[in-house]
Structures are given as structure tokens and as C-alpha cells.
Amino acid sequence: MRSVEYKTLLSVMKIKTHIGNVAVILNSPVGKPENSLLLGLKRPKNKSDNKRKRRRIGIGRWVLPGGVTKCSDKSQKHAVQREVCEETGLLFPLQSFRKAGVLRGYINSPDTPQWLVHIYLVIDLTGRTITPNKKEYTAMKWFPLSKLPFDKMLQGDREWLPRIARGEKLSIKIRANENADKAFSIDIR
């Protein structure tokens, strides 16, 4: 999709739906039993969040790096690349990001998703140091896939994240409460 078409799509959808992205960052190729996944512990709300009336999904939970697509982003891949770098300090080439799925989050409406999240898979074999964005995360850590902190993750993430990490491509619909920590229904295909 050309940049102009993409920005037009963003401006139209922005009225009803937030477009975002997350990166499933693994430290070895998909399918390896010793694989680990990078998660960040989302910082609790602060005063500046209230001033901007910003809704923060995943507060106090282990979440994937990612965020909202900006109109200045040339594509979803550029957006996820920017977000990963801002939140972890890791800069991956665009071709490293492989589309793994789409998540539609229904929070306030049964018909229109509030969130349309593009999910990308990237493999980091370098062992580089992670530099978490302290404004967003209190910690960032590699978790073995066999020991993910499910009790401290968003309910929806528990259902689809291990499958994406195993290499599946998914289309996900989640109906959840305002902070997305309680899912009322999850449809994964």
C-alpha cells in the first residue's frame, strides 16, 4: 500500500478505531524448545496520563512492546520498528518483521473494534542489551516460552501469544473490559 493511501486509511479509521502494532520478539528461531520471549512490565498510570485522558491497556501487566501507529509512519512495519526501538532500544531492519496476525479489540462497541492491532514476529539472535523505556515500563525481561507469567498477563494474550510464538498466523477478535485485562470472549482463527 502506498504511503498516501495508508495515511488516508489511518485518518478515516482514526475516528472509530485505534490502529496499533505489537512485536513478538523471540531469541531463537520459531519452534526451538529453548525459545524465550521479550515482555515488558507496564508502568502504572501517572499524572500526565490523566491530563491527556489516555487509556492505558496492560497497566501492571507483562505485555509485548508496541503501540499506536502515527500518521507520520510510512507503513505498519515502520510503526512497529519505531515502537520496538523506542520501548526496548533494539533496532531491527524492516525485513526482520514478519506479519503474524491481526487482533481486533472490541471494548466499547459490539460492532466496531476500538483497536486494530497488527502482530509481527521478529527473531533476535544477537543477545543485545535491552534498554526499556522507563516512562512506559518498570522492567523488561526474557521469559522462556514454557514459563510465561500468564497470571500477570492480559487474559487475551494468554490465549493467542503462545500460538504466534510457535509460528501460527492468527486472526483474533477479543471483547474485553476498558483496560483489556478481562476478556469476555475470544475468537481465534
Side-chain angles (χ1 to χ4, degrees), residues 64-162:
L64 296 168
V68 176
T69 301
K70 296 179 179 179
C71 286
S72 59
D73 292 322
K74 292 179 184 175
S75 68
Q76 275 306 124
K77 275 191 178 183
H78 284 90
V80 73
Q81 180 190 47
R82 175 186 50 77
E83 285 287 348
V84 166
C85 187
E86 287 174 3
E87 295 184 5
T88 68
L90 299 173
L91 180 60
F92 295 100
L94 279 177
Q95 64 269 24
S96 299
F97 293 93
R98 191 183 90 212
K99 186 77 175 263
V102 175
L103 182 148
R104 289 169 183 80
Y106 297 82
I107 295 177
N108 293 327
S109 167
D111 303 320
T112 305
Q114 184 165 351
W115 286 97
L116 178 64
V117 180
H118 298 268
I119 305 165
Y120 288 89
L121 183 66
V122 64
I123 309 298
D124 179 23
L125 302 176
T126 64
R128 293 178 282 182
T129 302
I130 309 299
T131 309
N133 180 332
K134 296 295 184 186
K135 290 181 180 177
E136 294 205 39
Y137 298 101
T138 57
M140 201 156 265
K141 181 177 173 185
W142 291 99
F143 286 95
L145 290 179
S146 61
K147 296 179 182 175
L148 291 175
F150 289 123
D151 59 327
K152 295 178 181 149
M153 293 170 64
L154 296 172
Q155 185 179 1
D157 291 359
R158 299 175 211 161
E159 303 291 329
W160 61 264
L161 184 52

Side-chain angles (χ1 to χ4, degrees), residues 15-43:
I15 297 166
K16 296 179 181 178
T17 304
H18 300 283
I19 301 173
N21 55 77
V22 292
V24 177
I25 304 173
L26 300 174
N27 68 352
S28 63
V30 172
K32 297 286 184 181
E34 67 277 5
N35 232 338
S36 291
L37 171 71
L38 184 63
L39 295 173
L41 185 59
K42 199 74 156 179
R43 183 170 290 290

